[in-house]
């Protein structure tokens, strides 16, 4: 597993990598993680339960925990780690992870197969998206398989990464067959409904999100005062931090809603359950969302969900567990009013909702489905260097030659490292950490 985004940072990608790795280890596979360091504590090699080995590479970050794309300085570290650990397959995560994209480029030199998982949706118009999409298209040109967390995310990744090929029957373009959809999951035992039913006399709407524009906080600022005015028994609990926090504070002060809207600030992941069980409705106002793990956690904790109909959100829950709205103020108020009526009439059963989510999503199933993708990749034919060069040249009249030069230079640099530090001189890993042996010694 390779990504810029991993623990000790907290987030959806970080949790996905850890839980998938842990369940693959339980299925008998050897899994390591490569990410950037977090000085002064997370540097070098660390171990996480249940026997997950993490390499923290000494690369500085530039923004949002992402490292600067460099393509070549990562190769010496990557080559030694992959060779020492006897790795057969590299699984990169997140479009904005430079380490993940570079690992896909380097892996083919070592004969290692590659898989990429995309976790987010991106646009096509602004300059940042155009640059990011071109980098992604170059990275995925020769990848062996791509996994997306929703069908909407799959469509987005296919377009951004140009994952097309000519059909055998005609010259028409079709989506490459090695693009899969495997959703996120959660540990249902960590998100259980409140031991005692929440009173329906005062209804609490919970919002747990990064307080940023793309999370639709402007919609929350506009709708919360109107909901409080229309429903005297409805209060809000808002957890999270971000640039839109000041807007929420100003709205609360302007409408004198200090006793109706509680702002918790940053909420640690281990405290999310305690916040969720205080409410009856979970509100998601995102303007874009590939999957929405927070929605899943709230539904598992027994909350009825109100969400904007964006991205992959409609794929997450059955219709009787969620109310959808267009990302507009009036329609969001309609959906919230509908949810308040459902809770007031006692038409939502938290315990039943928890059990349904528990049956729908579990990490053991995700690991099993990912294992099937790995097996298909290992059995597929590997691309030789000339084929990879030809496919890279198809990126376009400008990007094609540029990335082909990067590929060729990377190959030459790899050969130089093979001469400078022969593989037979490396200190290979012979013994592996085993939890059962640790328990016996303890």
């Amino acid at each position: 597993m390779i990504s810029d985004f991993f623990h000790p940072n907290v987030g959806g990608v970080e949790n996905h990598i850890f839980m998938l790795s842990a369940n693959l280890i339980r299925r008998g596979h050897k899994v390591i993680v490569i990410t950037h360091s977090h000085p002064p504590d997370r540097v070098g090699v660390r171990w996480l339960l249940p026997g997950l080995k993490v390499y923290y590479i000494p690369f500085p970050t530039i923004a949002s925990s992402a490292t600067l794309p460099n393509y070549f300085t990562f190769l010496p570290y990557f080559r030694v780690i992959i060779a020492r650990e006897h790795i057969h397959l590299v699984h990169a995560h997140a479009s904005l992870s430079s380490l993940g994209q570079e690992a896909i480029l380097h892996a083919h030199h070592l004969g290692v197969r590659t898989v990429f998982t995309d976790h987010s949706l991106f646009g096509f118009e602004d300059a940042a998206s155009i640059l990011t999409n071109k980098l992604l298209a170059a990275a995925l040109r020769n990848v062996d398989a791509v996994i997306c967390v929703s069908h909407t995310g799959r469509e987005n990744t296919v377009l951004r990464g140009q994952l097309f090929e000519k059909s055998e029957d005609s010259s028409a373009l079709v989506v490459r067959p090695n693009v899969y959809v495997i959703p996120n999951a959660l540990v249902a035992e960590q998100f259980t409904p409140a031991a005692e039913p929440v009173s329906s006399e005062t209804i609490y709407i919970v919002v747990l999100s990064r307080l940023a524009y793309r999370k639709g906080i402007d919609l929350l600022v506009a709708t919360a005062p109107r909901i409080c005015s229309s429903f005297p028994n409805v209060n809000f609990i808002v957890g999270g931090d971000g640039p839109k926090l000041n807007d929420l504070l100003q709205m609360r002060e302007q409408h004198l809603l200090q006793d109706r809207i509680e702002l918790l600030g940053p909420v640690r992941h281990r405290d999310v359950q305690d916040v969720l069980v205080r409410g009856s409705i979970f509100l998601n106002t995102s303007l874009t969302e590939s999957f929405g793990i927070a929605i899943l956690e709230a539904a598992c904790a027994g909350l009825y969900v109100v969400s904007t109909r964006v991205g992959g959100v409609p794929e997450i829950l059955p219709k009787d567990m969620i109310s959808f709205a267009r990302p507009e103020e009036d329609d969001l108020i309609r959906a919230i009013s509908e949810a308040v009526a459902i809770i007031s009439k006692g038409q939502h059963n938290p315990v039943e909702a928890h059990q349904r989510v528990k049956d729908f999503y579990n990490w053991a199933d995700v690991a099993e489905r990912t294992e099937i993708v790995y097996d298909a990749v290992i059995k597929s034919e590997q691309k030789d260097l000339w084929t990879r060069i030809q496919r890279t040249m198809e990126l376009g009249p400008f990007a094609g030659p540029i990335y082909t030069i990067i590929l060729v230079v990377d190959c030459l640099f790899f050969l130089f490292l093979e001469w400078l530090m022969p593989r037979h001189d490396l200190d290979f890993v012979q013994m592996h950490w085993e939890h059962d042996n640790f328990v016996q010694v303890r």
Side-chain angles (χ1 to χ4, degrees):
M1 302 287 175
I2 300 182
S3 179
D4 284 310
F5 312 105
F6 192 66
H7 297 305
N9 286 345
V10 177
V13 177
E14 292 86 345
N15 186 64
H16 181 102
I17 295 174
F18 175 78
M19 293 303 302
L20 177 60
S21 300
N23 280 271
L24 287 172
I25 289 173
R26 292 190 180 101
R27 294 182 65 84
H29 300 281
K30 174 187 175 180
V31 183
I32 66 169
V33 175
I34 302 176
T35 187
H36 63 76
S37 60
H38 297 265
D41 299 324
R42 297 298 178 99
V43 294
V45 180
R46 296 291 184 271
W47 289 91
L48 301 178
L49 288 173
L52 179 60
K53 191 176 186 179
V54 185
Y55 285 86
Y56 289 98
I57 307 299
F59 286 169
T61 59
I62 51 173
S64 302
S65 193
T67 57
L68 183 69
N70 51 68
Y71 288 104
F72 302 121
T73 57
F74 181 45
L75 179 55
Y77 294 99
F78 179 82
R79 171 182 169 271
V80 170
I81 294 172
I82 297 301
R84 288 185 71 248
E85 297 284 351
H86 311 286
I87 300 300
H88 300 106
L89 185 143
V90 165
H91 191 164
H93 291 261
S95 300
L96 297 179
S97 171
S98 300
L99 292 181
Q101 294 190 16
E102 293 161 20
I104 295 173
L105 172 68
H106 303 324
H108 297 285
H109 304 324
L110 289 155
V112 174
R113 312 311 299 271
T114 55
V115 176
F116 174 80
T117 294
D118 197 3
H119 295 263
S120 304
L121 301 178
F122 287 89
F124 300 89
E125 298 179 350
D126 57 288
S129 295
I130 292 172
L131 176 60
T132 301
N133 294 344
K134 184 55 71 174
L135 290 171
L136 180 68
L140 301 187
R141 203 66 190 164
N142 296 299
V143 75
D144 293 311
V146 177
I147 299 174
C148 303
V149 294
S150 67
H151 291 278
T152 301
R154 179 179 184 269
E155 295 175 7
N156 184 262
T157 303
V158 166
L159 292 174
R160 290 165 48 228
Q162 303 174 21
L163 302 177
F164 300 103
E165 62 182 16
K166 291 183 179 180
S167 63
E168 298 179 358
D169 301 333
S170 64
S171 59
L173 295 177
V174 296
V175 179
R176 283 159 52 177
N178 61 346
V179 184
Y180 304 86
V181 176
I182 302 176
N184 268 316
L186 79 169
V187 181
E189 291 74 17
Q190 295 179 358
F191 300 94
T192 55
E196 297 182 1
V198 179
S199 174
S200 59
E201 294 181 2
T202 301
I203 298 175
Y204 286 92
I205 298 177
V206 178
V207 179
L208 289 175
S209 169
R210 174 162 170 75
L211 306 182
Y213 169 77
R214 65 183 296 270
K215 293 298 183 180
I217 301 304
D218 291 331
L219 276 174
L220 177 62
V221 170
T223 56
R226 294 178 58 181
I227 290 296
C228 290
S229 176
S230 302
F231 301 96
N233 65 325
V234 173
N235 295 337
F236 284 82
I237 301 173
V238 181
D241 194 9
K244 290 291 183 179
L245 176 59
N246 286 336
D247 293 357
L248 284 170
L249 289 169
Q250 291 174 7
M251 175 271 293
R252 187 175 68 167
E253 184 174 348
Q254 178 183 350
H255 295 276
L256 303 177
L257 295 173
Q258 286 85 348
D259 59 333
R260 304 284 301 278
I261 301 178
E262 182 181 356
L263 299 179
L264 303 177
V267 178
R268 293 174 296 184
H269 190 264
R270 65 185 181 188
D271 298 327
V272 168
Q273 157 76 6
D274 297 331
V275 176
L276 289 174
V277 296
R278 293 176 58 189
S280 302
I281 299 172
F282 181 81
L283 176 61
N284 173 62
T285 57
S286 290
L287 303 180
T288 174
E289 197 76 70
S290 180
F291 184 82
I293 191 66
I295 295 174
L296 201 60
E297 293 171 351
C300 190
L303 279 70
Y304 187 83
V305 178
V306 177
S307 175
T308 46
R309 187 187 290 272
V310 295
V313 173
E315 305 174 27
I316 300 176
L317 295 172
K319 294 180 179 179
D320 59 334
M321 296 177 66
I322 186 170
S323 291
F324 289 110
R326 296 187 300 275
E328 302 170 357
E329 182 180 338
D330 291 338
D331 202 45
L332 187 60
I333 289 176
R334 174 202 57 78
I336 295 175
S337 302
E338 177 184 306
V340 170
I342 290 173
I343 296 299
S344 299
K345 296 176 183 177
Q347 296 176 349
H348 180 70
N349 187 331
V351 176
E352 181 183 340
H354 169 78
Q355 189 58 47
R356 293 175 72 182
V357 173
K358 183 178 180 180
D359 294 338
F360 293 154
Y361 298 96
N362 66 84
W363 282 110
D365 180 58
V366 171
E368 183 177 355
R369 294 170 65 176
T370 305
E371 194 178 51
I372 294 173
V373 175
Y374 291 167
D375 187 57
V377 166
I378 294 296
K379 292 179 180 178
S380 65
E381 184 179 355
Q382 194 163 10
K383 302 179 184 69
D384 57 32
L385 178 61
W386 179 243
T387 301
R388 286 188 282 130
I389 290 176
Q390 288 180 312
R391 292 175 63 87
T392 304
M393 283 295 295
E394 295 172 358
L395 282 170
F398 297 102
I402 291 173
Y403 283 107
T404 300
I405 292 172
I406 292 174
L407 172 60
V408 172
V409 173
D410 191 66
C411 185
L412 294 175
F413 186 33
F414 174 78
L415 293 176
F416 171 73
L417 292 174
E418 289 281 275
W419 169 79
L420 183 66
M421 297 180 290
R423 213 175 300 188
H424 58 77
D425 289 342
L426 297 179
D427 185 16
F428 292 98
V429 176
Q430 304 294 339
M431 300 291 292
H432 303 293
W433 193 93
E434 295 184 6
H435 181 65
D436 293 340
N437 294 342
F438 174 75
V439 172
Q440 293 176 4
V441 173
R442 187 180 63 175

